[in-house]
Amino acid sequence: MRKYVAVGFALLVWMSIVACRATSLSTLSSTLPSPTVRPTRTLPQIAPAEPEAQDALLTACPVEEQQQAMREQVSLDWERVPLQACYDLWLDLRSIEDGVYEGKGVITFVNRSGAPLDDIVVRLYPNADVLYGGTLELLSTAVDGVVQTGEPVGDDKTAWRIPLETPLAPASVHTLHVSFRGMLPVDFSRENIYGIFHLSRKEPIAALANWYPMLAAWREGTWDVRPVYAEGDAVVSLTSLYRVQVEHPPGWHIVSTGTVLDTTATTKTVVSGPVRDFTILASPAYRQRESLVDGVQVRHWGFTEMTEEDALRVAMDSLRIFDARFGAYPYAELDVAAMPMQGAAGVEYPGLAIAAAHLYNSTEGRRFLPVAVAHEVAHQWWYAVVGSDVLAAPWQDEALTTFSSLLYFEERDPEMYARLLDIYRQRVEAFEDEMGDEPIAQPLAAFEGRGEAYGVIVYLEGALFFQALREQLGDEAFFAALQAYYRDWRYRLAPPEALLQAFEASCGCSLDAFYRQWGVYAR
């Protein structure tokens, strides 16, 4: 959940919900042509893991440690998990009250490009002027023990290229040693940042998203070095394993992706299981509530007793509902945390769902809080586990996640469910009357400078697309398709065709006309 749910829009949505009556959902449906079985579309092939390379990653990030981050009821064939790397990182937060941190680590990775590589590219996302607004400086790099220098790629300083004298052979395993320093913006001193990489002195709290040098994703024969936009999400990442040791000031709570292995008054060692990135929140002011849900430890971290129990309950119920509808949540823990944000109501990371702190502090915000929490928890299925290209096809996870969050209300608050659907339809119709019709399946760049259009088209109209598709296919075929999509593409980057084809395979029919009508046709 991103910019379209800024607090003003959130309150507008809530007031509209309160003011309107739920109407029939039949207007959301469209008549489909008669089912026609047709050949299956060709999807990108998933290359099998090279056993020796996979073993090297699982040795660098030992399975016996990583398994502790996984839910006991979820079986995992570690030899077949599509891993890019093992990150063994050390993070020094002892000066975090000044907004400064340092770190170092070893990134063990496999050349899965299928060809010799003559360079390595890492992403330094905090350097982006938008969304992040801080700095991340590489102090040193060494490849397989040999010191290397590099150069920036692109204009936004978020990509760094390390050229190599000797190309890396296909399927070979290598190490990248890094040391780095970061600086957080303080107290929202900059516009166009969410607070995902930020120090708020009031609580205080430090948010560290993408705080370390991340290997760029290798996709379609090249390193992914696309820039960061002011709208939407920034990171397209491949699944890796993490082992992170954090040193922090006494009394500070560390909330993060993964599960704690060891802890003292000033250190924590955390492992992740297979995840796309690793995010940390740190604060001495956090209050914790927790409960066990079917073997998953669910925790809420907040700054006030007000509504914390409600937010925890929403997270717990959402976990149960999405488990049943989509497939099992794979991790041993799920953290939900309040965090100061601007221009957004929430944000998602693996094992960590964040809700904007301002939603806890007013009557209107507290009414909207369940929408934000259910949305970010749903992202654990449609982002954390099943990845997608959020720059090329932002609708793929955001539309599906917005629809998924409605399922929480369908079961727990049917009146609110109907009202939300009705207000989504009215908002889309009003936008189209004023601005005209646009396809849902547009790249993020098409919404640059058009935050309202991004929210209405990608989130709201996208959610209505899935609702209409559900009504046409029926629950059995519809949810069987989502379960197959979740099962077949977990820990991978799924192309839009994979999602669309899953529904056609489930119903045994052609949905071409329906997809064209809704503007999600991906061929």
Side-chain angles (χ1 to χ4, degrees):
M1 182 175 285
R2 294 292 195 244
K3 249 188 172 178
Y4 93 98
V5 285
V7 63
F9 183 73
L11 300 185
L12 176 61
V13 168
W14 173 252
M15 288 186 288
S16 300
I17 291 170
V18 171
C20 76
R21 294 187 305 165
T23 61
S24 171
L25 302 182
S26 61
T27 55
L28 301 178
S29 303
S30 302
T31 302
L32 289 176
S34 299
T36 303
V37 178
R38 65 188 184 116
T40 302
R41 304 173 190 173
T42 300
L43 293 176
Q45 296 299 306
I46 301 171
E50 302 85 358
E52 292 184 3
Q54 190 81 349
D55 288 346
L57 296 182
L58 296 178
T59 299
C61 282
V63 170
E64 58 270 19
E65 289 187 349
Q66 295 294 323
Q67 185 64 50
Q68 296 187 51
M70 307 306 292
R71 188 176 182 178
E72 288 186 3
Q73 299 96 316
V74 176
S75 61
L76 190 63
D77 184 353
W78 287 97
E79 295 297 330
R80 297 184 62 83
V81 177
L83 299 174
Q84 182 191 32
C86 160
Y87 289 79
D88 190 354
L89 303 175
W90 174 78
L91 172 63
D92 185 355
L93 295 181
R94 288 173 293 182
S95 298
I96 197 61
E97 291 176 270
D98 297 322
V100 177
Y101 68 89
E102 292 188 352
K104 61 183 178 181
V106 181
I107 305 170
T108 304
F109 67 98
V110 180
N111 174 11
R112 297 200 188 278
S113 69
L117 278 178
D118 59 9
D119 62 5
I120 301 169
V121 174
V122 295
R123 300 305 303 263
L124 309 175
Y125 286 106
N127 290 331
D129 289 336
V130 294
L131 303 193
Y132 298 89
T135 62
L136 176 56
E137 178 187 4
L138 267 175
L139 302 178
S140 66
T141 58
V143 179
D144 296 332
V146 179
V147 175
Q148 303 282 2
T149 57
E151 58 191 5
V153 180
D155 296 330
D156 68 355
K157 302 177 183 178
T158 66
W160 188 265
R161 175 179 177 268
I162 304 169
L164 303 171
E165 293 183 4
T166 303
L168 308 181
S172 57
V173 180
H174 303 274
T175 58
L176 173 63
H177 286 71
V178 294
S179 64
F180 51 92
R181 178 187 299 117
M183 180 170 292
L184 304 173
V186 179
D187 293 335
F188 295 106
S189 57
R190 306 186 63 169
E191 297 181 355
N192 291 328
I193 65 172
Y194 286 155
I196 58 176
F197 187 79
H198 180 255
L199 173 65
S200 175
R201 288 202 175 102
K202 177 183 176 182
E203 287 77 19
I205 179 174
L208 293 99
N210 313 122
W211 50 274
Y212 54 94
M214 294 179 63
L215 280 176
W218 180 270
R219 304 186 62 226
E220 300 177 357
T222 188
W223 294 108
D224 189 345
V225 295
R226 287 172 292 176
V228 175
Y229 294 95
E231 294 76 24
D233 295 300
V235 179
V236 178
S237 56
L238 305 181
T239 298
S240 295
L241 302 175
Y242 289 81
R243 188 183 195 276
V244 181
Q245 181 177 329
V246 183
E247 295 198 34
H248 58 85
W252 281 59
H253 301 286
I254 301 299
V255 182
S256 75
T257 298
T259 295
V260 175
L261 286 182
D262 301 300
T263 184
T264 71
T266 57
T267 64
K268 278 188 172 58
T269 302
V270 188
V271 293
S272 67
V275 295
R276 302 195 177 279
D277 51 34
F278 191 101
T279 295
I280 293 174
L281 307 178
S283 175
Y286 266 144
R287 308 165 61 99
Q288 177 190 325
R289 291 177 180 268
E290 63 182 340
S291 185
L292 193 66
V293 178
D294 299 329
V296 178
Q297 193 70 47
V298 182
R299 297 188 179 92
H300 182 274
W301 303 84
F303 305 111
T304 172
E305 292 184 355
M306 294 183 64
T307 73
E308 288 184 8
E309 187 172 348
D310 293 340
L312 177 62
R313 187 187 67 251
V314 173
M316 294 165 57
D317 290 344
S318 296
L319 176 61
R320 293 190 186 99
I321 292 166
F322 302 152
D323 253 6
R325 291 291 196 178
F326 310 139
Y329 175 80
Y331 306 115
E333 300 180 17
L334 173 62
D335 289 298
V336 179
M339 187 181 85
M341 302 190 75
Q342 65 177 8
V347 66
E348 74 284 350
Y349 297 100
L352 178 59
I354 295 171
H358 62 248
L359 297 180
Y360 294 75
N361 298 327
S362 68
T363 300
E364 293 83 359
R366 289 192 293 273
R367 289 169 176 166
F368 186 75
L369 181 61
V371 179
V373 172
H375 183 103
E376 305 311 339
V377 172
H379 264 306
Q380 297 304 315
W381 281 259
W382 318 126
Y383 160 70
V385 179
V386 178
S388 58
D389 189 332
V390 297
L391 301 180
W395 73 274
Q396 190 177 344
D397 75 324
E398 292 296 359
L400 182 54
T401 296
T402 304
F403 164 81
S404 298
S405 64
L406 290 170
L407 299 175
Y408 164 81
F409 294 97
E410 181 181 39
E411 182 167 320
R412 302 298 298 172
D413 189 348
E415 183 178 357
M416 181 67 160
Y417 166 73
R419 288 177 176 175
L420 282 169
L421 276 171
D422 190 55
I423 204 64
Y424 290 1
R425 177 180 58 81
Q426 292 183 31
R427 188 68 188 90
V428 170
E429 290 177 353
F431 179 85
E432 290 180 347
D433 287 344
E434 181 180 356
M435 306 300 295
D437 191 14
E438 296 187 39
I440 295 170
Q442 298 183 69
L444 185 59
F447 297 103
E448 189 171 10
R450 299 197 306 140
E452 181 185 10
Y454 174 66
V456 172
I457 295 168
V458 171
Y459 288 71
L460 305 189
E461 187 175 4
L464 297 182
F465 156 71
F466 284 107
Q467 175 66 19
L469 181 57
R470 176 190 181 184
E471 292 184 358
Q472 291 293 342
L473 297 184
D475 276 10
E476 183 176 356
F478 180 85
F479 287 109
L482 287 182
Q483 290 164 12
Y485 175 63
Y486 181 67
R487 179 190 65 241
D488 294 344
W489 289 92
R490 59 181 180 172
Y491 311 123
R492 308 181 192 277
L493 288 178
E497 291 86 353
L499 177 57
L500 300 179
Q501 181 176 305
F503 292 108
E504 292 185 317
S506 186
C507 71
C509 64
S510 170
L511 296 171
D512 283 359
F514 186 77
Y515 291 160
R516 285 194 182 96
Q517 177 185 350
W518 281 90
V520 299
Y521 196 74
R523 285 174 291 168

